[in-house]
Amino acid sequence: MRPMKFRAAAAVLLAASALAACGDAGSDDEGRDVSAEEDCDGKFEDGSAMADWSESGSIRIGHKTDQPGVGFQGATDDVPSGFDIEMAKILIADLCIDPDSDDVKWIETISDNREPFLQSDKVDLVLASYSITDERRAIVGQAGPYMITGQQVLVPSDSDVESIDDLKGEEVCSVTGSTSLENVNAAGAKGVGADDYSECAEKVLDGTYPAMSTDGTILAGLAAQNEGELKVVGEEFSEERIGVGYQKEEAEVCEWINGVLEESFEDGSWEDAFETTLGPSGVETPEAPELDPCQ
Amino acid sequence: MAGSVLFDAPGPVTRARHRVYTLVASVAILAVIAFAVWRLQADGQFEYDLWEVFFTPDYLSAILEGVLITVSMAVFAVIGAVLMGLVLGVAKLSDHPVIRWPAWAVVEFFRAMPVLLLMTFFFFAYFISVEREVLFIPEESWGGFLSVIVALTLYNGAVLAEVFRAGVNAVPKGQAEAAYAIGMRKTQVMTTILLPQAIKIMLPAIISQMVVALKDTSLGYAVAAPGLTYIGNQIMLEFRNHVPTVLVIATIYVILNLVLTWLATLVQKRLVGEKKPLEVPMVGEANTGGTPL
Amino acid sequence: MEAIFDNFDAVLKGFGYTLFLFLVCAVVSLVLGTILVAMRVGPIAVLSRAAAVYVTLVRNTPLVMVFFFFHFAGPKIGINFNWVDVHVGGFDFTSAFSTAVVALSLYTSTFVCEALRSGVNSVPLGQAEAARAIGLPFTGTMTEVVLPQAFRASVPPLASTLIAMLKNTSVAGVFYLAEALATMRGFTKDYADQRWGILISFAIGYIILVEVVSLIAHRMERRWRIA
C-alpha cells in the first residue's frame, strides 16, 4: 500500500503542470471478490496467531510480483493479482478480515528472501509459488500444498528443444534462490540465476539463453503473455508442491491453513480461483492436491 | 588548458585540413546518431504504446515519487556521511595514536568495500525486518531504504573523512598558530578556527560527493530498495518497453546529477571565489560526479 | 565460518570471475579512455565537443542503468553478445561476462578519460612550448613529450579509477554473473546464522584485491616519478 497522500499530491501537481498527460497505460485487474467471514468470536483459540490477526484486523502476506497468473503486480497496482493472491484472500477472509482492506499488507518477496522474511517476522504468511522442501521445513513452517505443479521448460516457438535433456551443458535461466535453479543444475544444464522470472523470459526472447525453466504454471502464464513467441515443452521433470509458508513457532497455524484449504477444495472456491487466474493462459484445472498432515 | 599550446595557430593549409577533418568527424558522428535512430525506428521503439506509460498521470506520479525517494536517500546518506567524515577526519588528525589508528583503519576498510556488498549485508543481516511507515516510503520498502542509506553513509563517510583531513590541512598555518598564541586549547582551535574555515573550502567537494551518492542509490535495486531504478524496473516488467524506460530513467538521473554539479559550481564561486577548489586524491572516485564541460 | 571453509572453491571461483572481469575491463577501458582523451584535447572542435557530451552523459548515469541498457534494452535493438562462448578451465565466459565487460568498460572509460585529461593538464606549459619550438607537430608533441609525462601524472587518479572499477565489478553479480558478490549473496541466504563470518571473509577478499592494485600503482608512481 503506498500512502495515498503523496500520490494524490503528485497527481494534483502533475495535472496542474503543463504536461499533456493524456496516456492511459496499465490495466485494472481486481481479481475475484472474496468477502470476509462475519463472525469470528471464539473461532480461534485465545493467544493463537490467528486470533491476533483476526482481532487486530491486519495481516502481512509475502507474495511475488513477477509471475503473471500466479503473483503479479504492476508499478501502479495497489494490490497484486494471481492464483497465489486469490488463495491468500481465501485465508484472509476466514480470519474475518476484508481482503481489500488497507490493513492487509501485501509485501513483495523474492525467492532469495522468503525464509529470512518469515524468520525475521517481516511477513506472517508467504504465498509466493513457495515449494515445500525438507530444507525449508527445517527453518520455517510450510502447510499445504494447495497446488502441485512440475518443472518444465520454456523455449522460443521456433526452438526444437523438446525437454530439459536437450539442454545438457547449455545455459538455462531460472531464479536465484529457487528450487528450480537447483533442479536445472541437477538435470545437467547450467543454471543461470536471474532476479525474477519476467527477466528470464526477456532473456529467452532475445536469444541470450536457449531456455528457461521453472514451474509449469508460471511458464504457462509467461507463454500466454508472449503469445506465439514462447512455448512450454517437455514432461514435468520434478514435482513442485506449492504451499503456504508461516513462521515456525506457530504450529497451530498449520492446522488452520489446512482446514481453510480443505474447505476451499470442497466448496469450489479453489477451482474458481484457479480458473480466473491461470485458466486464461490455457492451464487445465487439475485435481485438488492431497494435503500434508501437520507435524 | 594545455590544448592551446599543443599546436600553433593553424595556417591556411592546416585550416583547410582541419575543415576536412571536421567535416569527416561531423559526418561520422551524425551517421552514428542517424544509425541509432534508424535502428530504434526499425525495431519499432518509437511506437506510442511503448511510450504511453510516460504520459499516464498515475505512472508519472510513481516516477516522481521515485525521484523524491532517490534524492532523499542521497540527502540522508550525505548528511550521515558528513557527520561520520567529520568525526573520522578530525580523529585522523589527532595527536594520540590510540585515536588516530582506529580511525585510519575504519576509513581504509570502508573505502575498499564495494557499496553493494555493504548494502547486501545490512539488508539481510538487519533491515530485512524493519517496518515503519515514515515519510512517503512504502513500509515494505523501508528495509531496503535503510540499507541503502547506511551503506552509502559508511562508504561516503570514509571518503569524506579524507576530504575533511585535507580541508583542515588546507587552512593557512598562521591561523592555527595565531589561535595558539592567544592561548586557545587544541579543541578550541579545531572547533572555532580550523573547522569553520575548512568546511567552507570543502563544501563543493561535499556536494560533488552527493552526485556519487545519488548514482549509487540505484544499487539499491539489488536489495529491492525503492527509488527511481526500482520504479523503472517495475515499468519494464509491466510494459516490456525496455528501451524507452532505460532512456527515460537514465535521462532523469543525468538531469538530477547535472543540477547537483551546477549547484556545486555555484556554491564554490560564492564561497571560495575563483580559487581552485580543494583537490583530494580519492580512492574509489577519481574525481567525483561531474566536472563541468 | 564453516560456510566459507566448506565452500572455499566457490569463494575462489567467485573472486576468480571478479579478477578476470577486472583485468579485461582495465585493458579495454584504458584503451577507450585514451581514445576519448585524444578527441577531447585534439584540435578538431567537433570531436572535442562530442567526446565531452558523451563523457558527461555516461559519467552521470548510474552504472546499474548502464547494465540495464545492455542487458534488456540492447538485445531489443540488435545489440547483444550471445556469440561470446569461451570456456577456460572451470570458468564460462558467456554473454553474462561479455555484457558486463561492455557495460563496465564504457562506464569506466569516461572516468579514465577525465583522469588522463587531468594528467595532460598537469604537464607544465613550458614542456609543450619547447616541443613546439623545436618544430614538432601536434602528433609529435603529444606522443614524444606531453603524453609520456601525462601518463606519469595520471597514475594516481587512474589507480583510483581502476580501484573504483574493481569494486564496481560487484554490480555484474546482480546481472547473471556468478562473481564474488553473487557468491556471497548465495552464502548469506544458505547460512544465515554465519552472516558476520561471511561478510568478513568476502570483505578481506576485496581488501586484498584493492590493496594489490594500490600497491602496483604506488610502485609505478615511484618508478616513473619525474624529477
Side-chain angles (χ1 to χ4, degrees):
Chain A
M1 292 285 107
R2 296 170 181 289
M4 297 309 289
K5 257 187 305 199
F6 178 76
R7 266 297 157 80
V12 168
L13 191 76
L14 282 164
S17 72
L19 256 175
C22 53
D24 183 24
S27 61
D28 295 327
D29 192 9
E30 283 297 315
R32 297 164 65 238
D33 263 332
V34 182
S35 48
E37 296 274 329
E38 291 299 326
D39 179 27
C40 281
D41 280 345
K43 184 172 173 181
F44 303 111
E45 211 169 306
D46 269 344
S48 69
M50 290 79 76
D52 289 348
W53 295 326
S54 183
E55 278 157 33
S56 67
S58 75
I59 185 166
R60 298 159 305 166
I61 309 284
H63 66 94
K64 290 271 190 168
T65 59
D66 62 320
Q67 299 169 0
V70 179
F72 186 79
Q73 186 170 17
T76 56
D77 297 348
D78 283 336
V79 284
S81 59
F83 181 59
D84 282 345
I85 311 302
E86 295 305 331
M87 293 311 292
K89 285 184 188 170
I90 292 173
L91 287 168
I92 297 166
D94 191 68
L95 296 166
C96 301
I97 303 173
D98 175 14
D100 295 333
S101 89
D102 279 358
D103 290 332
V104 176
K105 305 289 183 212
W106 298 98
I107 294 176
E108 180 188 356
T109 54
I110 53 178
S111 293
D112 250 350
N113 66 16
R114 289 174 298 198
E115 294 88 26
F117 270 30
L118 282 168
Q119 286 170 298
S120 57
D121 190 31
K122 193 173 168 104
V123 293
D124 298 311
L125 298 175
V126 167
L127 290 93
S129 51
Y130 200 21
S131 311
I132 299 175
T133 67
D134 292 343
E135 291 86 30
R136 287 175 180 163
R137 273 202 166 142
I139 42 179
V140 296
Q142 289 185 309
Y146 58 88
M147 179 164 68
I148 294 187
T149 169
Q151 202 167 333
Q152 288 171 289
V153 183
L154 185 73
V155 293
S157 305
D158 53 13
S159 164
D160 40 23
V161 169
E162 281 164 6
S163 76
I164 189 77
D165 300 331
D166 298 348
L167 293 161
K168 285 210 190 316
E170 298 272 357
E171 290 179 314
V172 174
C173 192
S174 196
V175 166
T176 316
S178 63
T179 47
S180 314
L181 194 59
E182 292 158 25
N183 293 335
V184 165
N185 286 328
K190 278 188 185 145
V192 183
D195 268 0
D196 56 53
Y197 289 107
S198 308
E199 240 181 59
C200 267
E202 283 305 324
K203 286 295 198 185
V204 174
L205 280 172
D206 69 38
T208 306
Y209 301 119
M212 70 175 281
S213 174
T214 182
D215 305 353
T217 43
I218 299 173
L219 295 181
L222 289 165
Q225 225 189 14
N226 302 283
E227 195 112 29
E229 294 179 77
L230 295 174
K231 60 178 182 187
V232 182
V233 295
E235 287 299 303
E236 296 180 352
F237 60 91
S238 71
E239 189 186 57
E240 300 297 331
R241 304 162 65 252
I242 308 298
V244 182
Y246 58 91
Q247 295 177 10
K248 188 84 181 164
E249 295 81 50
E250 306 161 340
E252 77 277 6
V253 176
C254 177
E255 297 291 350
W256 166 69
I257 294 174
N258 275 358
V260 178
L261 291 178
E262 193 62 54
E263 198 181 324
S264 74
F265 296 161
E266 281 158 19
D267 68 11
S269 55
W270 176 82
E271 199 174 337
D272 187 31
F274 197 97
E275 277 163 10
T276 47
T277 53
L278 287 160
S281 54
V283 187
E284 281 191 27
T285 311
E287 289 293 304
E290 192 70 35
L291 294 174
D292 291 356
C294 289
Q295 283 109 347
Chain B
M1 268 309 289
S4 50
V5 275
L6 294 176
F7 33 85
D8 278 347
V13 179
T14 319
R15 268 213 299 275
R17 212 177 55 216
H18 282 182
R19 268 202 297 275
V20 174
Y21 286 156
T22 304
L23 192 70
V24 172
S26 314
V27 168
I29 291 166
L30 285 175
V32 168
I33 294 170
F35 178 75
V37 172
W38 172 78
R39 273 272 25 157
L40 290 172
Q41 178 65 39
D43 286 306
Q45 293 299 341
F46 292 130
E47 301 286 327
Y48 176 67
D49 26 342
L50 290 184
W51 292 82
E52 183 177 36
V53 59
F54 301 112
F55 297 104
T56 308
D58 255 5
Y59 286 87
L60 280 175
S61 65
I63 291 173
L64 202 65
E65 193 180 344
V67 170
L68 199 71
I69 292 177
T70 290
V71 171
S72 56
M73 285 197 289
V75 170
F76 285 131
V78 167
I79 291 173
V82 167
L83 294 177
M84 178 175 155
L86 194 65
V87 172
L88 285 173
V90 172
K92 280 181 78 163
L93 287 165
S94 166
D95 292 343
H96 308 290
V98 186
I99 300 177
R100 213 167 49 223
W101 285 103
W104 176 86
V106 168
V107 168
E108 287 307 306
F109 178 84
F110 285 115
R111 287 205 319 184
M113 278 304 95
V115 179
L116 204 49
L117 185 140
L118 294 173
M119 259 181 220
T120 312
F121 174 76
F122 283 113
F123 183 66
F124 282 109
Y126 295 106
F127 296 133
I128 206 159
S129 57
V130 179
E131 269 199 60
R132 291 289 141 63
E133 190 143 358
V134 182
L135 300 169
F136 36 77
I137 315 296
E139 69 186 271
E140 67 268 23
S141 318
W142 187 240
F145 181 79
L146 270 186
S147 17
V148 170
I149 290 180
V150 171
L152 287 180
T153 296
L154 289 173
Y155 170 71
N156 291 305
V159 172
L160 285 181
E162 219 29 44
V163 176
F164 273 79
R165 200 180 56 89
V168 170
N169 285 339
V171 177
K173 247 188 139 68
Q175 297 279 338
E177 284 166 0
Y180 282 124
I182 58 171
M184 284 190 182
R185 285 163 204 283
K186 261 198 315 202
T187 320
Q188 281 177 303
V189 174
M190 186 53 94
T191 51
T192 58
I193 307 291
L194 294 178
L195 277 182
Q197 299 189 65
I199 286 174
K200 202 171 123 174
I201 302 178
M202 289 172 331
L203 211 54
I206 292 172
I207 297 185
S208 13
Q209 201 57 33
M210 251 194 81
V211 173
V212 179
L214 190 86
K215 281 200 309 185
D216 282 346
T217 52
S218 71
L219 293 171
Y221 165 70
V223 291
L228 198 49
T229 304
Y230 183 81
I231 296 284
N233 192 42
Q234 291 288 83
I235 291 175
M236 276 189 229
L237 283 180
E238 192 170 357
F239 297 95
R240 324 254 320 274
N241 56 346
H242 300 75
V243 179
T245 308
V246 170
L247 292 178
V248 169
I249 301 287
T251 307
I252 297 176
Y253 271 113
V254 171
I255 291 170
L256 286 176
N257 286 326
L258 288 180
V259 168
L260 276 179
T261 309
W262 171 78
L263 213 66
T265 336
L266 205 71
V267 169
Q268 185 193 312
K269 284 212 174 96
R270 268 289 159 77
L271 288 179
V272 194
E274 295 302 314
K275 263 189 301 184
K276 254 183 117 91
L278 179 68
E279 280 174 9
V280 218
M282 300 213 188
V283 174
E285 285 291 343
N287 42 14
T288 44
T291 30
L293 292 181
Chain C
M1 291 299 267
E2 300 92 72
I4 299 293
F5 295 126
D6 294 351
N7 302 298
F8 204 64
D9 52 339
V11 179
L12 282 183
K13 196 169 173 176
F15 275 110
Y17 275 121
T18 297
L19 194 61
F20 276 123
L21 188 58
F22 169 72
L23 291 174
V24 176
C25 288
V27 173
V28 178
S29 57
L30 282 176
V31 171
L32 288 177
T34 310
I35 295 172
L36 278 177
V37 83
M39 286 165 75
R40 204 74 179 74
V41 302
I44 313 292
V46 177
L47 285 180
S48 176
R49 292 298 295 172
V53 168
Y54 172 82
V55 166
T56 307
L57 284 182
V58 177
R59 277 177 66 117
N60 287 306
T61 308
L63 182 57
V64 174
M65 290 319 288
V66 180
F67 267 89
F68 261 120
F69 179 84
F70 283 103
H71 265 289
F72 299 114
K76 293 219 163 186
I77 49 176
I79 306 171
N80 67 48
F81 304 95
N82 304 343
W83 38 269
V84 180
D85 193 21
V86 183
H87 304 274
V88 182
F91 292 96
D92 304 320
F93 300 115
T94 52
S95 63
F97 187 83
S98 46
T99 310
V101 168
V102 172
L104 200 50
S105 301
L106 281 180
Y107 179 80
T108 311
S109 66
T110 59
F111 290 87
V112 170
C113 169
E114 292 303 291
L116 287 173
R117 205 162 64 94
S118 70
V120 169
N121 288 343
S122 74
V123 177
L125 278 187
Q127 294 280 336
E129 281 166 352
R132 298 290 310 139
I134 58 171
L136 285 174
F138 171 69
T139 335
T141 310
M142 285 306 273
T143 55
E144 302 292 329
V145 179
V146 177
L147 279 184
Q149 297 186 60
F151 264 116
R152 288 170 200 192
S154 318
V155 168
L158 271 183
S160 301
T161 307
L162 288 181
I163 287 170
M165 189 191 76
L166 173 61
K167 295 191 293 176
N168 279 335
T169 53
S170 57
V171 177
V174 185
F175 293 89
Y176 311 95
L177 188 69
E179 51 64 84
L181 187 93
T183 314
M184 175 179 141
R185 286 174 81 181
F187 282 5
T188 314
K189 183 183 150 288
D190 294 344
Y191 310 95
D193 51 341
Q194 305 176 33
R195 283 188 203 112
W196 277 100
I198 292 168
L199 171 84
I200 302 288
S201 313
F202 278 88
I204 290 172
Y206 274 108
I207 288 176
I208 290 173
L209 288 178
V210 168
E211 288 307 320
V212 167
V213 175
S214 334
L215 201 71
I216 293 173
H218 200 71
R219 292 286 296 275
M220 281 163 111
E221 200 188 342
R222 292 244 321 258
R223 178 187 268 177
W224 292 345
R225 184 166 298 157
I226 316 161

